[in-house]
Amino acid sequence: MTASTANLQNKVHIDLGERSYDIQIGSHLIGSSATFEGLPDGGIALVVSNEVVAPLYLASLLAALRPRHAQVHSVVLPDGESHKEWSTLQTIFDGLLKHGCDRKTVLYALGGGVVGDMTGFAAACYMRGVSFVQVPTTLLAQVDSSVGGKTGINHPLGKNMVGAFHQPLRVVCDLSALNTLPERELSAGLAEVIKYGPIADMAFMTWLEDHMDDLMQRDPDALAVAVKRSCEIKAQVVASDERESGLRAILNFGHTFGHAIEAGMGYGSWLHGEAVGCGMVLAARLSQRLGLVDAQFVDRLVALIQRAKLPTVAPVIDASDNASRYVELMRHDKKAEAGAIRFVLIDGPGRAMLRPVDPALAIEVIESGCRIA
Ligand code: NAD
Ligand code: GLY
């Protein structure tokens, strides 16, 4: 991999037949009407954002959309993972109905993965399905959640348990928006970037090792390469398995443990990316325990995750019976089948697979993973 200069405009195509679309990657895209050329115009645009992102970028997006649409409205949600639930979703439907939105209305999701997942789900449901555009403003959303059409909300018993597959018309990744991202959120996004190396592309993992400091400094060239390569890998996987009947599950490397951490600690306590970073450490150790990778590979991955300032020691989520609580939560994972927990394992560097694992082995890894400093 070579580090190209930050392209002002860069596209990744996601090939899904009639649901195909482009991911646009560049700088200063949000405020430019040209960014949205080719999308449906004329009718109503409803922008969904949240109380943190709206003061930063909503006015620019509305100004860019106004010349294209007969009416432009917005709904501003409360911020945070703990609001990714029914009552917040209802406020999007309230806005759609209040503004007389019809089947031609286009929703725009302006924010991180929480806004993107909820807006996409609202678009999937409103009048049995309207169009939407993703305008992701976190690194995590640009490299993962805005791409691929998974939308939904959380249930107290399980993460992202209620939702729909609904592809956007376009994804607009404005790298300039990453400049206002808090450091902790940048790190959380890097977890989903790092994931693509071990599951699909060891050259990318090496590139990340060489450029982690640049990424932490928000070097625009490095961010452009990382977002583009992540989107290319995700686009390839989603194009071959849109509804996760098999291969797409590899994108959930670290997520089985990670979702248990998020739910066990209470949504919003650990960031999704932090839980995934730590979950990747546990999943890599499980892969090592099964003889699929060696200790050197695991150490390399742990070092990279640490350099992204992500936690690598698993939290205690239940003081009385920690490992059992992890297992209980992991049984609710969407990849579980007939009660058996299935994990994404690294099947040799750069390759991943999904398979059931004896819970006793997972417990071993959790117990040692909660101690290792
Ligand atoms: P988030 O949406 O909560 O955003 C993180 C924080 O950054 C929030 O406080 C947000 O308001 C703020 N923010 C957003 N953009 C900003 C900016 N440019 N400047 C300053 N602050 C900004 O979290 P996230 O990490 O973006 O997304 C996590 C969510 O994504 C989780 O709910 C997870 O389940 C979901 N997810 C979905 C998929 C999918 O395929 N649909 C994949 C991965 C993750
Ligand atoms: N983030 C996992 C997926 O999109 O499938």
Side-chain angles (χ1 to χ4, degrees):
M1 279 205 63
T2 53
S4 68
T5 52
N7 301 311
L8 283 182
Q9 189 82 345
N10 231 323
K11 275 191 184 140
V12 175
H13 184 68
I14 172 155
D15 189 2
L16 288 167
E18 61 183 16
R19 292 179 305 288
S20 297
Y21 53 95
D22 284 331
I23 304 162
Q24 261 173 267
I25 302 163
S27 303
H28 308 296
L29 298 180
I30 289 175
S32 162
S33 291
T35 302
F36 304 97
E37 264 167 30
L39 290 168
D41 56 6
I44 304 176
L46 184 89
V47 180
V48 180
S49 191
N50 74 21
E51 62 202 5
V52 169
V53 178
L56 298 168
Y57 303 109
L58 181 60
S60 305
L61 180 57
L62 294 178
L65 295 178
R66 242 173 233 123
R68 301 181 40 79
H69 288 271
Q71 292 178 49
V72 174
H73 301 290
S74 59
V75 170
V76 176
L77 307 177
D79 181 42
E81 185 73 38
S82 60
H83 295 287
K84 191 177 164 183
E85 44 86 45
W86 279 115
S87 64
T88 318
L89 190 69
Q90 182 70 11
T91 63
I92 306 179
F93 296 130
D94 292 346
L96 283 160
L97 286 159
K98 184 176 103 187
H99 295 297
C101 294
D102 57 20
R103 284 206 159 123
K104 292 250 161 75
T105 296
V106 181
L107 274 78
Y108 287 79
L110 175 69
V114 170
V115 166
D117 280 11
M118 282 197 292
T119 308
F121 190 33
C125 301
Y126 186 66
M127 293 194 172
R128 302 199 178 88
V130 295
S131 298
F132 83 115
V133 173
Q134 288 273 17
V135 187
T137 58
T138 62
L139 180 60
L140 185 141
Q142 294 190 355
V143 300
D144 193 353
S145 64
S146 64
V147 175
K150 280 188 181 175
T151 72
I153 55 172
N154 298 327
H155 185 280
L157 291 179
K159 175 90 181 136
N160 296 331
M161 275 294 162
V162 182
F165 283 99
H166 189 54
Q167 299 293 343
L169 294 180
R170 186 173 295 174
V171 179
V172 175
C173 297
D174 189 337
L175 300 170
S176 317
L178 303 180
N179 289 327
T180 53
L181 206 57
E183 208 169 292
R184 192 175 161 203
E185 299 291 349
L186 182 77
S187 292
L190 285 170
E192 301 279 17
V193 174
I194 290 170
K195 136 187 122 177
Y196 292 110
I199 65 166
D201 184 353
M202 287 305 285
F204 185 45
M205 177 142 166
T206 305
W207 183 88
L208 287 170
E209 289 170 331
D210 293 344
H211 293 87
M212 185 50 76
D213 297 342
D214 302 328
L215 291 168
M216 292 296 284
Q217 301 296 321
R218 300 173 208 229
D219 174 85
D221 290 359
L223 284 170
V225 174
V227 171
K228 184 161 189 222
R229 186 63 194 132
S230 301
C231 288
E232 283 170 350
I233 296 171
K234 179 144 189 187
Q236 233 170 13
V237 172
V238 171
S240 58
D241 180 20
E242 184 183 1
R243 290 191 165 237
E244 200 167 307
S245 46
L247 178 74
R248 183 166 177 169
I250 67 168
L251 297 173
N252 273 306
F253 175 50
H255 287 57
T256 308
F257 288 111
H259 286 166
I261 293 172
E262 274 188 280
M265 295 297 285
Y267 295 123
S269 165
W270 276 46
L271 300 180
H272 176 73
E274 291 170 340
V276 167
C278 189
M280 286 193 287
V281 173
L282 296 171
R285 290 213 172 99
L286 189 57
S287 308
Q288 183 192 353
R289 177 72 182 74
L290 290 161
L292 301 170
V293 288
D294 58 21
Q296 200 189 355
F297 171 83
V298 178
D299 290 347
R300 212 179 137 186
L301 180 61
V302 172
L304 190 57
I305 293 170
Q306 281 171 339
R307 282 179 62 203
K309 296 215 171 100
L310 288 160
T312 53
V313 179
V316 173
I317 59 173
D318 185 328
S320 57
D321 195 355
N322 189 45
S324 303
R325 178 73 180 135
Y326 266 90
V327 170
E328 185 191 337
L329 287 168
M330 290 193 299
R331 283 196 201 283
H332 288 295
D333 188 81
K334 287 188 287 308
K335 293 180 293 304
E337 235 174 43
I341 308 167
R342 298 191 301 163
F343 290 88
V344 178
L345 300 169
I346 300 303
D347 180 25
R351 281 196 320 268
M353 66 171 177
L354 178 68
R355 59 168 261 196
V357 175
D358 179 351
L361 288 185
I363 287 173
E364 243 181 62
V365 165
I366 291 159
E367 281 175 346
S368 59
C370 291
R371 288 193 305 270
I372 298 168

